Amino acid sequence: MRVLWVWLILCAFWFSPALGAEPPSWWASLSATDRYGVQGDLILLGFYDGFVDGQYGPQTEGALKRFQLSTGDSERVPSQTTLGRLRQEAQQEFERMGMQLERFPQEGVAAYVPRNVLTVRTEGEGGVSFATDDGSMVMYLTGYDNPAGSGSLEQRAVELLRPSYNRTVTYKSIKPDRIVVSGRQAGDAYYSVLTADGDKIIGVSVIWGNEYASLGAITATFAASYSGRAEYFEENPTEVSTGLAALEGERIGRFILPKDEPKVIVLAGDIATGAMLDLRRALKARPDATTLLLDSIGGSVNEGLLLAHAVADRGLATYVPADAGCYSACAYVFFAGKARAADGSLGVHQIYGDGVSVSDAQAVLSDVLDALAEFDVPQAVISAMLRTRPDQMHVFTDDEKDLLQLNRGSIDRANLAAPEGASGGLTVMRKNSTAEDLASQRTERILTVREPTKWADLMLTNGFTARMVEAITPAILGQYPSATLPAGARMRILFGASRTSEVLIPYRVSLYTHDQDSGEDRHMATVALTDRGSYVAGAEPRRIDFPTEDLPPSMGGKSNRAKSN
């Protein structure tokens, strides 16, 4: 769900600041991401009906007070416990509604739609609609061309405000870049938003009957805040950062200045607009830095190239620790290192962007190729990048890293901070362990199959929800095309702290089969949780020794105890 906040940060200029008293110090102390998140969460729970803009005003203050009262929190400032409960309840509502990013590439528009409610999808000329089975609630998503100086937004406003015998307007807000109109139409409530963004106008409308009064209003407000040009939403996220984001230290955007490591800066998270400015701030705060640790799913190509050239100009070394990953635009940064080493995953694919013209795409690709040539990247790496579709990822194996000499120079790994729980030292714990049970907030559980078992059933009884298994299934079957694990197979689950509760959640799952003749456990598949909340194919984690005594007796095991039960 955090992809939403990235989108809003990029496009905050769309929304007028909420005017009012000076924001309180506790609100100002929150990161921009958290401020957007609080408002979005309040919308989902029905306490806030304004646009998400990250600003503190009367609407945000009133919504927070109402939520506090609903929880019994009467303090003047909401506690961290209250804010945590807000996040947890909003996430539950997000999942209950089945909020899903829907893209309409033909018109270059995207928005979040509650698909558990609006189950009927219909495409038509100029847009797409989503409706309940009985048609009592409908959401329309449209995109219009807006040639410079054409006044298209004003023309659309006239249509929205035109008097009609069965349509009344109860609220309207007309601004140069956004029009909001709501009212009643043939007895139903409606809410329409048109937003101008360059050569596009994005339209979102929701109409609902009395039986959907609450849900309709929430859907309309949420969709209005979380809609936009399709290219602003990443359709195919890659593997999540697996450990460095938990590292302690001062945070500057996606960068971390780890404690007790004055020569190290960490990039942990996606590469979004503003990352270059954050790196400059990090370098100013840590002028003696010599090494940049990387754990990123990538992001903006242009911003990634800016970071890469800054790394090269500064002569920084780049390092991807074991159990971390550096993908897509992050790879440009890695290759820019004066010295570089990837003990973790390193992946590349083609650049992409919906709505980007061919000429613009070629210009960006030219910049990428020039940068890779400047960084002395082997042609075989560039070929792998160009051959790999945007919705896939070429992750280099250890053999490829050696053959292509992707690692170069000398990096003193012993002196680099190893974030607790990011690699090694994993402990087998009960699946209901809480984050407070472990200082590292990471725990790994090994399950051994004693008789043929469906891996979906095994997941459902060991920390995964039905929705998680549904999301995991395509990624698993793409690597291991069988629904059943044979006797002796292993399931290896990495649990980590949830952002919304104290109970650990599954971050990664790997499947292994056991070869009785050789006695080896062979890796078959790995999926990992992304910071977008979905599961995708991931790289094999660091090898560990599995306990042989848990194998079935027919395979030489010494114990009849079935750890999978």
Side-chain angles (χ1 to χ4, degrees), residues 201-246:
I201 293 177
I202 308 304
V204 176
S205 296
V206 184
I207 302 176
W208 63 92
N210 292 333
E211 62 268 40
Y212 290 101
S214 176
L215 180 62
I218 290 172
T219 297
T221 308
F222 195 79
S225 289
Y226 302 123
S227 61
R229 299 180 67 126
E231 61 263 34
Y232 293 151
F233 294 85
E234 186 175 358
E235 186 176 23
N236 298 292
T238 56
E239 189 176 348
V240 71
S241 301
T242 55
L244 296 188

Side-chain angles (χ1 to χ4, degrees), residues 25-352:
S25 58
W26 73 267
W27 179 265
S29 68
L30 297 178
S31 68
T33 296
D34 288 339
R35 291 195 292 271
Y36 289 121
V38 167
Q39 289 178 321
D41 292 343
L42 289 167
I43 288 177
L44 287 170
L45 297 178
F47 292 98
Y48 181 65
D49 60 1
F51 280 99
V52 174
D53 56 14
Q55 305 295 319
Y56 189 88
Q59 281 185 288
T60 300
E61 181 179 26
L64 276 168
K65 290 297 182 185
R66 289 191 292 275
F67 177 75
Q68 284 183 259
L69 289 175
S70 74
T71 66
D73 179 5
S74 60
E75 297 296 323
R76 184 177 62 85
V77 174
S79 65
Q80 288 301 313
T81 300
T82 297
L83 292 178
R85 181 171 176 177
L86 170 65
R87 165 112 308 248
Q88 180 179 7
E89 292 184 7
Q91 183 66 32
Q92 291 171 348
E93 186 64 15
F94 186 90
E95 294 176 357
R96 186 189 70 80
M97 295 170 67
M99 277 294 182
Q100 180 174 316
L101 176 63
E102 290 288 346
R103 303 159 66 89
F104 192 57
Q106 294 92 323
E107 299 300 333
V109 60
Y112 276 82
V113 181
R115 292 310 309 275
N116 286 353
V117 181
L118 305 181
T119 57
V120 181
R121 185 183 194 275
T122 306
E123 289 192 14
E125 185 177 352
V128 60
S129 67
F130 303 88
T132 56
D133 291 338
D134 61 1
S136 298
M137 179 176 166
V138 185
M139 178 176 174
Y140 298 95
L141 182 60
T142 55
Y144 311 102
D145 291 331
N146 183 36
S150 69
S152 296
L153 188 61
E154 291 80 0
Q155 294 172 14
R156 298 289 175 181
V158 171
E159 296 173 10
L160 282 175
L161 298 173
R162 181 178 293 126
S164 171
Y165 74 94
N166 67 347
R167 180 185 175 95
T168 59
V169 175
T170 57
Y171 173 83
K172 62 181 178 181
S173 173
I174 303 176
K175 296 182 180 180
D177 58 353
R178 188 183 72 243
I179 298 169
V180 181
V181 179
S182 63
R184 307 287 298 185
Q185 178 172 308
D188 293 336
Y190 74 87
Y191 183 103
S192 297
V193 179
L194 293 177
T195 306
D197 181 15
D199 61 354
K200 275 288 181 184
I201 293 177
I202 308 304
V204 176
S205 296
V206 184
I207 302 176
W208 63 92
N210 292 333
E211 62 268 40
Y212 290 101
S214 176
L215 180 62
I218 290 172
T219 297
T221 308
F222 195 79
S225 289
Y226 302 123
S227 61
R229 299 180 67 126
E231 61 263 34
Y232 293 151
F233 294 85
E234 186 175 358
E235 186 176 23
N236 298 292
T238 56
E239 189 176 348
V240 71
S241 301
T242 55
L244 296 188
L247 189 60
E248 292 185 1
E250 179 184 353
R251 279 166 163 72
I252 301 176
R254 294 291 192 271
F255 294 92
I256 303 173
L257 309 182
K259 295 170 62 176
D260 304 322
E261 293 290 351
K263 295 188 177 182
V264 175
I265 296 174
V266 177
L267 169 59
D270 60 334
I271 298 174
T273 299
M276 183 64 233
L277 294 177
D278 290 335
L279 177 59
R280 288 177 180 171
R281 292 167 55 202
L283 288 169
K284 186 176 181 180
R286 189 151 285 186
D288 296 329
T290 60
T291 305
L292 179 65
L293 270 63
L294 301 170
D295 192 9
S296 172
I297 64 171
S300 166
V301 173
N302 290 330
E303 205 74 16
L305 289 176
L306 289 175
L307 293 178
H309 286 297
V311 166
D313 292 343
R314 186 67 177 255
L316 297 176
T318 53
Y319 177 51
V320 184
D323 280 0
C326 179
Y327 307 91
S328 192
C330 176
Y332 312 151
V333 183
F334 170 78
F335 288 123
K338 183 177 181 180
R340 63 195 187 210
D343 291 339
S345 298
L346 180 67
V348 295
H349 62 181
Q350 300 168 1
I351 64 171
Y352 70 101

Side-chain angles (χ1 to χ4, degrees), residues 366-430:
S366 177
D367 290 340
V368 171
L369 296 178
D370 287 345
L372 296 180
E374 179 182 335
F375 305 147
D376 194 27
V377 176
Q379 180 59 45
V381 172
I382 298 174
S383 297
M385 180 188 77
L386 296 177
R387 286 197 309 266
T388 306
R389 291 174 45 189
D391 59 346
Q392 299 176 351
M393 188 70 67
H394 180 93
V395 178
F396 295 101
T397 65
D398 289 340
D399 288 341
E400 286 179 314
K401 293 175 187 176
D402 293 338
L403 180 64
L404 300 175
Q405 298 181 332
L406 300 189
N407 299 337
R408 71 179 184 188
S410 176
I411 292 181
D412 186 2
R413 293 167 172 79
N415 290 330
L416 295 179
E420 292 183 355
S423 63
L426 295 172
T427 309
V428 177
M429 297 287 289
R430 293 173 292 109

